[in-house]
């Protein structure tokens, strides 16, 4: 049963708009007071940024979190969002309620309010565009272009490669056996049979098996974990800063180019997750984790004098704050092993091409 | 030849971003200072809000103007915009340059700057989502919900029905003969042959003929005329206010419902264009012009004491400021003829349905 756009706004989205300037989402425009604001806008498209079979709950999560990740990367506290929901003509309208409930939970979790938006139908894929407003937590908002030779290079907020592994598992490109190499397979199978029946389908592998580790990796792909606690640390310490959304190597390249510097990354210092580490230590190519996307952690630079204060600031919050390299004069990104020898970075295999 | 997303941003869109907070569009986020702002976001989708055969120049115009129209309807001066461009994988990338050039012209025309955005590919239709920021020109920003019984009902900014006629002509649903009823057909044909060869294809009718009047009507559909000069008048005089984008009847209904009032519209006072008037006087159903969409003029209310000052404020600007009725106690919208007898308003024949 299709749903009327205005009913959808009134019943499902208006309750998420507690901001007075949102006017209950019943006006043509909203009022934004206060400021200054850090603003970002990111769209996700079915078949490009998420799979058609991904559950609508996690699509809502991902749509908001990729924007929250941008704000965190700029040292800003999330404040409000505009939602443009472009709904396929042939997708069941009932799913909109699930989408709205999930988005509502996410907004509450991040302390955000829905300020306005637009809903429309499309003959094409589900497309969600969110504009997010954040309050800068420091006197300056770090850009990609602020890195200086001599600074340290840091990651904060999580691990590299988990989302890439999750996507391989969810899409069926990687088997459970490949993930389990080096793990006690018998124990894992028992665990799998015991709890598989209670898990949502989207945490199961394509072959219907459940595996707790695989489910966690798939979760990081479906709805990246983003940590608000990083924002004040970025605001206080970062020279240059940006979130990683296209893979560590590609985004480090962007930061290097914008700052007109070279970045040296120590491969052995990159914070991989336990299953990721085990996977490449038993034959996987760790460079796929470095070039795969969807990590949504923050890459930033800071002067060496800040090391102690930086590490102290993370105490008790477990943000996986890790120094992974250094800013140098020059250009480009080099990945080096423990001996300092360069490791070639392969082409990530996906592209940002527009049109034909 | 496809284009790299980052090259597109750097070469085509960055030159449109003169605002310092935009950081040359090379960062993950932008800074928005000043304020308060009126904000609005409207998306247009190929096959829903424009035809696949519409030229990319006018698609860019329409994408921005539907947002500018919202700001004008709130008495705000356009200030800046965020662009989310969702480009079909099979649409030639060369068209992006034309899109950007057209958008640049529009931004300059309306005194706006590009503050940021997102570009991505899609397996579906061309989709453009714009978020626009405006500076309120008055101490309050009129909403849909502010109408009070006893106020006059006004239109400002243009005519009703031209865009609907333009769509019929462009889609081939209406013939040139039907539009020309009551006009000197011989003279029109001569004019048509003389200048047809010099006109862009999108101003020609499906049968390759050109007709100046038809071209003008099609233009109002392709890229609605919106008049910035309306904004200070709205800011100064309007009680309730909103732009008309879904047809006069449907949008008046929204204003009445939000304000919990009834609206009486005098059919004979509605500002139709000359061809529209001729069309329904020679057999067309004028109610189609009242329920057709895409007019992008502003509907507002004001107290009767403001009449003289309102009319004086338009002097020399030709905004087609027209008093079309009154706000009354009650609910709903009534359309009445010169004798006060009600004219039934038919279902507009299109819907805002989401999903199946």
């Amino acid at each position: 049963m299709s749903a009327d756009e205005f009913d959808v706004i009134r019943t499902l989205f208006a309750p998420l708009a507690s901001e007075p300037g949102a006017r209950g989402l019943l006006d043509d425009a909203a009022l934004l007071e206060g400021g200054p604001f850090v603003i970002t806008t990111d769209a996700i498209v079915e078949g490009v940024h998420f799979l058609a079979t991904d559950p609508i709950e996690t699509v809502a999560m991902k749509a908001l979190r990729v924007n929250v990740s941008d704000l965190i990367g700029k040292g800003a506290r999330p404040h409000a969002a505009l939602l443009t929901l472009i709904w396929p003509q042939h997708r069941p309208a009932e799913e909109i309620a699930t989408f709205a409930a999930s988005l509502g939970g996410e907004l509450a979790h991040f302390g955000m309010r829905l300020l306005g938006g637009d809903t429309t139908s499309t003959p094409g894929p589900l497309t969600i565009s969110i504009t997010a407003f954040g309050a800068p937590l420091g006197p300056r908002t770090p850009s990609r272009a602020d890195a200086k030779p001599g600074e340290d290079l840091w990651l904060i907020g999580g691990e590299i490669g988990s989302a890439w592994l999750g996507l391989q598992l969810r899409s069926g490109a990687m088997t459970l056996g490949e993930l389990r190499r080096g793990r006690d397979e018998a124990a894992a199978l028992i665990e799998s049979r015991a709890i598989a029946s209670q898990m949502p389908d989207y945490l199961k592998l394509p072959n219907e098996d459940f595996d707790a580790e695989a489910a966690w990796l798939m979760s990081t792909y479906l709805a990246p974990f983003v940590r608000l606690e990083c924002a004040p640390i970025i605001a206080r310490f970062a020279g240059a800063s940006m979130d990683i959304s296209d893979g560590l190597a590609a985004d480090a390249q962007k930061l290097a180019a914008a700052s007109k510097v070279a970045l040296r990354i120590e491969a052995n210092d990159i914070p991989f997750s336990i299953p990721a580490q085990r996977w490449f230590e038993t034959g996987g190519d760790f460079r796929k984790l470095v070039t795969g996307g969807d990590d949504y952690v923050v890459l930033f630079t800071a002067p060496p004098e800040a090391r102690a204060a930086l590490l102290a600031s993370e105490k008790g919050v477990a943000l996986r704050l890790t120094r992974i390299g250094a800013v140098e004069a020059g250009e480009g990104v080099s990945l080096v092993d423990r001996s300092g020898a360069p490791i070639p970075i392969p082409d990530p295999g996906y592209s940002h091409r527009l049109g034909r």
Side-chain angles (χ1 to χ4, degrees), chain A:
Chain A
M1 196 195 69
S2 71
D4 181 78
E5 180 185 344
F6 305 105
D7 286 343
V8 162
I9 295 170
R10 203 185 58 244
T11 61
L12 301 179
F13 292 113
L16 312 182
S18 55
E19 186 81 357
R23 298 181 164 187
L25 304 191
L26 296 174
D27 207 30
D28 307 272
L31 275 179
L32 182 68
E33 298 185 316
F37 289 104
V38 176
I39 55 177
T40 185
T41 188
D42 255 327
I44 63 171
V45 178
E46 178 186 316
V48 180
H49 305 91
F50 60 94
L51 305 176
T53 51
D54 286 351
I56 195 70
E57 294 93 327
T58 64
V59 171
M61 291 172 171
K62 188 168 203 167
L64 188 66
R65 291 184 190 183
V66 299
N67 281 283
V68 168
S69 176
D70 274 326
L71 296 179
I72 292 171
K74 297 293 140 185
R77 178 174 48 76
H79 169 70
L82 299 170
L83 165 72
T84 296
L85 179 63
I86 301 172
W87 196 263
Q89 283 151 4
H90 297 294
R91 193 168 187 123
E94 286 76 8
E95 289 188 16
I96 303 175
T98 314
F99 178 91
S102 176
L103 184 70
E106 290 290 297
L107 289 165
H109 176 75
F110 293 119
M112 302 176 80
R113 282 126 179 226
L114 192 61
L115 202 52
D118 189 22
T119 53
T120 180
S121 67
T122 179
L126 176 59
T127 300
I128 300 144
S129 173
I130 286 184
T131 297
F133 300 83
L137 295 175
R140 60 177 276 282
T141 294
S143 85
R144 293 182 189 178
D146 296 332
K148 288 177 191 63
E151 287 184 320
D152 295 329
L153 187 63
W154 297 82
L155 281 178
I156 191 170
E159 297 148 344
I160 293 295
S162 293
W164 184 85
L165 282 174
L167 173 58
Q168 307 313 307
L169 290 162
R170 193 165 158 75
S171 67
M174 183 181 291
T175 63
L176 191 54
E178 191 173 350
L179 178 72
R180 286 175 170 175
R181 269 192 325 241
R183 229 174 70 184
D184 180 346
E185 297 213 7
L189 277 172
I190 291 164
E191 163 209 49
S192 166
R193 288 191 191 123
I195 58 174
S197 62
Q198 300 172 37
M199 298 305 299
D201 282 345
Y202 60 86
L203 292 180
K204 288 180 189 156
L205 290 151
N207 60 4
E208 303 263 311
D209 256 342
F210 173 76
D211 178 284
E213 195 176 72
W216 173 74
L217 293 170
M218 291 191 291
S219 289
T220 66
Y221 160 73
L222 288 164
F225 299 108
V226 292
R227 302 286 301 272
L228 290 186
E229 300 94 328
C230 300
I233 299 175
I234 299 295
R236 182 169 162 210
F237 294 103
S241 177
M242 68 184 292
D243 77 324
I244 300 295
S245 58
D246 287 335
L248 173 60
D251 284 329
Q253 184 57 55
K254 287 176 213 159
L255 193 147
S259 294
K260 300 186 171 60
V261 296
L263 297 180
R264 194 188 74 243
I265 299 176
E266 309 279 343
N268 288 287
D269 292 337
I270 296 172
F272 295 109
S273 61
I274 291 169
Q277 187 108 15
R278 192 185 62 234
W279 175 73
F280 68 73
E281 284 175 354
T282 57
D285 183 351
F286 91 97
R287 298 175 306 172
K288 288 197 171 153
L289 307 176
V290 175
T291 53
D294 290 326
D295 294 310
Y296 295 102
V297 297
V298 178
L299 178 72
F300 71 99
T301 68
E305 307 80 62
R307 279 180 203 172
L310 242 171
L311 291 167
S313 74
E314 192 217 12
K315 231 172 195 165
V317 197
L319 299 172
R320 289 218 61 161
L321 175 66
T322 313
R323 185 156 55 89
I324 62 163
V327 185
E328 300 176 337
E331 59 181 29
V333 174
S334 59
L335 190 65
V336 298
D337 67 16
R338 236 183 269 279
S339 74
I343 302 168
I345 302 172
D347 187 286
Y350 64 88
S351 77
H352 284 269
R353 309 299 298 175
L354 296 176
R356 64 166 168 83

